[in-house]
Amino acid sequence: MYEYPAESRPEFDSAPLKVVVADDDAVQRAYISAILRKLGHEPHEALDGCQALELLRRISAKILVCDLDMPGLNGYELARQIREEPGDGYVHILMVTGQNQRLQRERALEAGVDDFMGKPVDTASLTARIRSADRLLRHEQLLLQRSAVLARAKERIEDDLRAAADAQRRLLPPAHKDVAGCKFHSAFKPSNILSGDMFGYYRICEGFTAFYAIDVAGHGVHASLMSVALGHLLTSELFRAHSFDGAGHPDPAALVSVLSDRFYREDGTEYFTMFCGMIEHGADRLHYCQAGYPSPYMLTRGGSVRQVGTGGFPVALLAGVPFETSVTSFAADEFLVLCSDGAMEAENRFGEPFDEMRVKAALAEAAAAPETIPDGVVSALERWRGGRTLDDDLTVLVCERTPKQ
Amino acid sequence: MIKTRLHDEYGICVVNPAVERLTAANATAFKEEVLALIDQKQDKLVIDLSDVSFLDSSGIGAMVGLLKRLGNRGEIVVCSLSSGVQQMFKITRMDRVFSSYSDANAAIAAIKERV
């Protein structure tokens, strides 16, 4: 889908290379320049190290042929300076030294010189070395082009992900909404661009309001595709069809069983945790099925907190496991808070998790104003993380009862 | 990443994931490594979680993946659960799926008794 530029073959592609020739000896300079010209390259002469450096910068030449002994900056110092400069691209340095100067050459290598030629310089060895430098430069060029292609591809992929994230967000209800005797407040924070979380709520029939929160195992594209599929599937019609037992009693576990059967694969690894609740307004009761989702908190405006549920099998993880419907009281002045496990697990710089205690404390503190809880939990976690993004997706859903007076 | 100890006479293999966090970041690698053991006919596994302070839903998924692969050909138990991991096992009912022991020796003793 994304094409790389092909490797170019040097013998068919010999654009002249700019080569800086630095030598205080005019004869030597002219001699080397003449050879370079004959090879089809473009020599630029410098009388000393400082000039060479200035010239390299100005014409952005990528090859330097230099003498070791020069006034101003000598060969070592020049090489060192070039290596210290951040510059765009690598400068290939060829140094001309006396024959068999082992110590000089070792020092020069350390200073950043790439290759050597003994004096007197002959055409064959200069040609071979320029060709070798040329190959490396072309290779570098190719890598640059490739990384540009990758950067563009990455940008396109991220654009696609952002478009998918928008689509995911549009599936979610607004941050605050009144639904049949309840007010819902929510916050939704993907750990990356996309999230594996999903939630929703609706009036299902006279006297009943239903809601759910889902956390697909893992995160990223894989998890988000499943969460979006679930978001589309879970409608008030589906609740009406599957969340009452034969006698007409609310039974959210029956709905969860349907989902588990539908998504379970013998050879699969995808599954999700879910909390599925049905509020029976007339009886001040919450019927719920907890399927591996963290236990939610039931609060009063006074700030007392109790946890709801002790656990349950996740959905589509194992075949044939039972799901249970439980009941708890849900008084008109109470409200329920669901937090995905992204909240408890968020670690600060010292690897310490935010944990249940801090979640509870944050909730109790904001109990007088339930509508502030979702954003409050998000900012408490942001402070805890010290600005680092969350490792896991986060959902906070608050369900407040607002009975008619 | 896993470290294994084999108790030859009963063919029990103690597997230590040797990570502090078994999460989406490494759960697949962990599963693949243990699956390779299962494919080498290791069918009595003790997953020693003493180093693991935190395990997320992907970690649970990996554990269940192992259980599914083993089927009823063998046995897989866990030991040395930290309080956080224990809580995760409880909330997802994995405490009903995996027998859990206080440490590797207790797990080995329990499997031996059943052989």
Side-chain angles (χ1 to χ4, degrees):
Chain A
M1 172 156 98
Y2 301 104
E3 281 184 18
Y4 283 129
E7 187 107 34
S8 58
R9 301 178 60 185
E11 54 271 41
F12 297 120
D13 180 10
S14 48
L17 294 167
K18 291 176 190 163
V19 182
V20 171
V21 180
D23 202 317
D24 54 333
D25 179 339
V27 177
Q28 187 74 12
R29 228 166 40 228
Y31 175 64
I32 293 174
S33 294
I35 300 175
L36 287 170
R37 236 174 257 120
K38 218 168 77 191
L39 291 174
H41 299 307
E42 192 184 305
H44 295 261
E45 297 187 9
L47 308 188
D48 58 38
C50 296
Q51 251 189 37
L53 199 59
E54 188 273 327
L55 203 53
L56 281 168
R57 285 180 194 144
R58 184 152 52 82
I59 65 172
S60 21
K62 294 286 176 270
I63 303 181
L64 166 70
V65 180
C66 73
D67 194 22
L68 172 58
D69 300 309
M70 287 182 293
L73 290 174
N74 67 21
Y76 302 134
E77 290 158 346
L78 177 57
R80 222 169 274 128
Q81 285 259 349
I82 291 170
R83 295 293 174 244
E84 273 169 19
E85 283 187 12
D88 52 341
Y90 188 78
V91 177
H92 203 84
I93 307 175
L94 293 174
M95 185 178 273
V96 182
T97 66
Q99 291 290 349
N100 303 321
Q101 297 288 333
R102 203 169 61 86
L103 280 175
Q104 282 182 357
R105 291 187 175 191
E106 275 170 15
R107 264 190 78 188
L109 280 174
E110 259 169 44
V113 169
D114 296 292
D115 207 349
F116 304 95
M117 281 173 296
K119 281 179 186 170
V121 174
D122 64 278
T123 309
S125 71
L126 182 59
T127 306
R129 281 169 176 77
I130 295 287
R131 284 224 173 110
S132 141
D134 187 23
R135 276 197 302 276
L136 290 173
L137 290 176
R138 279 175 207 286
H139 188 65
E140 188 189 51
Q141 198 57 42
L142 192 73
L143 290 181
L144 279 177
Q145 286 170 12
R146 284 186 177 175
S147 73
V149 170
L150 285 180
R152 279 198 301 277
K154 179 170 178 279
E155 235 167 75
R156 248 177 289 169
I157 291 169
E158 282 182 354
D159 281 349
D160 283 351
L161 288 180
R162 271 187 284 274
D166 278 348
Q168 181 173 44
R169 242 168 222 287
R170 278 197 294 274
L171 261 183
L172 297 172
H176 303 277
K177 197 177 173 192
D178 292 6
V179 176
C182 293
K183 275 183 199 289
F184 287 91
H185 315 285
S186 58
F188 177 79
K189 289 272 164 207
S191 59
N192 205 324
I193 300 171
L194 287 161
S195 169
D197 287 0
M198 185 52 65
F199 64 90
Y201 43 78
Y202 352 73
R203 172 187 182 277
I204 38 174
C205 56
E206 186 58 43
F208 283 95
T209 308
F211 61 89
Y212 74 90
I214 277 174
D215 182 350
V216 179
H219 22 90
V221 175
H222 213 65
S224 72
L225 281 174
M226 190 161 179
S227 75
V228 168
L230 286 162
H232 279 291
L233 187 65
L234 281 153
T235 56
S236 53
E237 292 76 34
L238 195 82
F239 268 90
R240 272 195 293 279
H242 297 290
S243 65
F244 291 94
D245 66 13
H249 299 120
D251 185 14
L255 175 71
V256 175
S257 285
V258 167
L259 293 176
S260 196
D261 290 346
R262 178 153 178 171
F263 284 91
Y264 178 78
R265 296 264 179 290
E266 190 53 49
D267 55 348
T269 53
E270 288 186 319
Y271 76 95
F272 53 95
T273 63
M274 180 174 189
F275 190 93
C276 186
M278 295 167 74
I279 301 159
E280 187 183 358
H281 291 286
D284 288 339
R285 277 198 296 222
L286 171 69
H287 306 260
Y288 64 93
C289 174
Q290 182 183 17
Y293 202 87
S295 299
Y297 304 90
M298 187 69 87
L299 282 92
T300 62
R301 282 184 173 66
S304 76
V305 186
R306 71 181 157 95
Q307 268 189 301
V308 174
T310 56
F313 288 106
V315 190
L317 179 62
L318 288 156
V321 293
F323 295 99
E324 297 152 25
T325 290
S326 308
V327 187
T328 186
S329 64
F330 193 169
D333 60 346
E334 287 182 309
F335 60 95
L336 188 73
V337 182
L338 285 84
C339 277
S340 64
D341 52 10
M344 275 72 89
E345 291 161 7
E347 292 185 347
N348 66 6
R349 287 182 191 289
F350 311 107
E352 203 183 336
F354 193 70
D355 80 27
E356 237 168 68
M357 243 174 49
R358 289 187 182 83
V359 174
K360 262 190 205 169
L363 298 182
E365 206 174 300
E371 70 280 4
T372 66
I373 284 179
D375 289 341
V377 171
V378 169
S379 39
L381 281 171
E382 277 166 359
R383 282 195 302 276
W384 183 251
R385 295 282 295 163
R388 292 167 307 143
T389 53
L390 290 167
D391 284 338
D392 194 4
D393 306 321
L394 175 68
T395 294
V396 184
L397 178 63
V398 175
C399 171
E400 212 186 326
R401 289 194 61 202
T402 51
K404 292 183 194 97
Q405 296 305 314
Chain B
M1 78 183 167
I2 60 169
K3 287 189 235 153
T4 54
R5 258 186 309 137
L6 198 60
H7 291 256
D8 260 341
E9 68 189 291
Y10 293 91
I12 299 170
C13 188
V14 179
V15 179
N16 186 333
V19 291
E20 253 182 70
R21 296 167 59 85
L22 193 57
T23 65
N26 54 18
T28 307
F30 165 74
K31 191 177 86 177
E32 293 303 324
E33 285 182 51
V34 183
L35 284 179
L37 288 177
I38 294 174
D39 292 342
Q40 289 160 29
K41 308 288 177 233
Q42 292 296 339
D43 57 3
K44 297 184 197 66
L45 298 173
V46 177
I47 309 293
D48 181 347
L49 295 172
S50 48
D51 292 341
V52 180
S53 60
F54 173 70
L55 169 138
D56 75 353
S57 57
S58 301
I60 297 276
M63 295 286 300
V64 171
L66 297 175
L67 186 73
K68 278 185 179 173
R69 176 69 69 92
L70 211 49
N72 40 27
R73 289 181 290 123
E75 187 169 9
I76 179 165
V77 304
V78 294
C79 72
S80 312
L81 273 56
S82 69
S83 63
V85 174
Q86 217 159 5
Q87 176 64 14
M88 185 69 176
F89 267 60
K90 188 169 157 266
I91 219 84
T92 56
R93 292 273 197 266
M94 289 303 108
D95 55 354
R96 298 190 189 174
V97 175
F98 296 97
S99 300
S100 171
Y101 300 92
S102 56
D103 57 34
N105 289 335
I108 292 164
I111 295 179
K112 277 181 185 172
E113 232 167 73
R114 287 196 284 269
V115 179

